[in-house]
Amino acid sequence: RTMADALSDAGDLSGGEGSQDDVMTPAELIARLEEAWLNEKFSPELLESKSELVECVMEQLTHMEENLQRVRKGDLKASVHHMEIGRIRYVLSSYLRSRLQKIEKFFPHVLEKEKSRADGDPSFLSPEEFAFAKEYLANTEVYLKAVALRHMPPNLQSIDMLKAIPEPCLDSFVFLRVKERQEKILVEPETDEQREYVVDLEEGSQHLMRYRTIAPLVANGAVQLI
Amino acid sequence: MFCEKAVELVRELHRMSDGQLPAFNEDGIRQVLEEMKALYEQNQSDVNEAKTEGKSELIPSIKFRHCCLLRNQRCITAYLYDRLLRIRALRWEYGSVLPTTIRFHMCAEEVEWFNQYKKSLASYMRSLGGEEGLDITQDMKPPKSLYIEVRCLKDHGEFEIDDGTVILLKKNSQHFLPRWKCEQLIRQGVLEHVIS
């Protein structure tokens, strides 16, 4: 029994009124959440923000909880639904947590990337995450200044956070499953003795590759990190 | 030797196992800052001398001192930043109120940073989804079972569960409670998960 099944059941419970999104069924919604969750968990860098998805899932959860209030106490069905709500909430929280962790770990780079983003390009931070990242940077700068930097010689009273905080390592290796067949993916050499080569990625096949090579495919959903 | 005190600060944290926060080494920081001041002053006077009297043989030692200054700066900020990361982890482990024994090890500015971090995190979580937001410091592990057996380690008073039932958490009493309600109390050491 999967989460998605239970969610569609919950949709039945509500008499189908929860159709805030006409194109997506609850099952698809949860599948999308799981996809985003795994990609975020395994990619070394922060991925595109999916605020809408998060909002939809939160709405679904509230909806399911409301429906559960109406179910008789001690009903077996109720505890099964409780369990499913718990699971979905875990996936959602874990997804948001791993994003927040990356924001905290790479905050100067994340903010820099967001600043240099062209209008119309997808945002890497939700408005809430953006506010959090800015506060985190300011808080940390104020702290370092107050405790140590302001007591240092005049030419050493500031540090470049972009240089001081490590960048995400895009050369780390990730496991992936191919969702849409790809032709002629250029794999760059790792050492001087190797030469670059191209590979075709068959649908459904699994690979271990450098993240940098397939980062665009993660972004457009052609591969899934596992 | 220069920079030794600064490296000692970094080593001090390195020796601690992950997540432990030793007392803030104010004295160590002060000593490094004093060394930096001395290095800087020495460099200032050497630079003047090199300029006015054209003593180019002073340049290597100026450069050397400058490297020491940079290294000291780097070690101090590494020490402070690593401590912040440990303090951040405490927020996720203990919730927003830290045990006094740990707070005792923090300097005033660290407490200030922690309070600010708490605020940022809280307003982030409040802004998620609906009116109430979502507490993402909960649900840290995938749920295995709905209810778990817990034992009370200290008197905690009355505790309300979702369906409105109020139970009394008395020391040494044992309860069968919804897992999602107990997670934080377990982390705070009020309850203990009984594994039979």
Side-chain angles (χ1 to χ4, degrees), chain B residues 9-187:
Chain B
L9 283 177
V10 174
R11 248 187 232 128
E12 184 186 306
L13 279 186
H14 194 72
R15 273 197 300 268
M16 288 280 157
S17 58
D18 276 349
Q20 269 190 320
L21 189 73
F24 186 75
N25 194 339
E26 204 180 336
D27 197 46
I29 300 264
R30 194 182 42 79
Q31 287 181 27
V32 179
L33 288 171
E34 270 166 19
E35 184 184 292
M36 289 178 79
K37 190 164 175 267
L39 282 167
Y40 182 72
E41 277 164 5
Q42 183 100 56
N43 254 7
Q44 287 293 89
S45 73
D46 274 13
V47 165
N48 282 337
E49 210 172 311
K51 261 189 204 157
T52 50
E53 294 164 42
K55 280 191 184 168
S56 57
E57 69 269 23
L58 287 175
I59 290 172
S61 52
I62 294 173
K63 278 188 178 161
F64 173 70
R65 284 193 211 100
H66 188 66
C67 286
C68 292
L69 280 167
L70 287 173
R71 190 170 169 79
N72 274 332
Q73 186 206 39
R74 187 168 170 175
C75 289
I76 285 198
T77 42
Y79 173 78
L80 296 174
Y81 184 66
D82 192 72
R83 286 181 60 88
L84 289 189
L85 296 183
R86 288 165 196 251
I87 293 169
R88 174 215 168 262
L90 294 171
R91 164 65 187 87
W92 290 78
E93 197 178 332
Y94 290 98
S96 51
V97 183
L98 291 184
T100 21
T101 44
I102 291 174
R103 225 168 3 180
F104 197 61
H105 283 174
M106 289 159 65
C107 71
E109 290 86 354
E110 283 177 327
V111 174
E112 183 55 34
W113 184 89
F114 179 75
N115 287 335
Q116 192 58 48
Y117 177 71
K118 251 174 17 185
K119 255 201 241 162
S120 303
L121 185 65
S123 52
Y124 167 74
M125 295 198 296
R126 252 199 322 274
S127 66
L128 291 168
E131 316 84 81
E132 284 171 58
L134 177 70
D135 184 357
I136 60 169
T137 65
Q138 298 281 322
D139 300 290
M140 295 297 275
K141 284 187 198 136
K144 286 248 165 10
S145 57
L146 214 44
Y147 284 79
I148 53 172
E149 182 92 30
V150 287
R151 186 182 299 128
C152 230
L153 297 178
K154 44 183 138 178
D155 286 324
H156 187 69
E158 289 185 342
F159 184 64
E160 191 182 328
I161 43 178
D162 283 351
D163 58 5
T165 328
V166 176
I167 51 158
L168 184 66
L169 294 181
K170 209 168 164 273
K171 193 174 173 182
N172 291 329
S173 60
Q174 229 159 291
H175 308 271
F176 197 54
L177 296 176
R179 187 199 47 79
W180 69 93
K181 292 293 281 185
C182 326
E183 236 180 49
Q184 187 146 28
L185 290 176
I186 293 174
R187 265 184 277 142

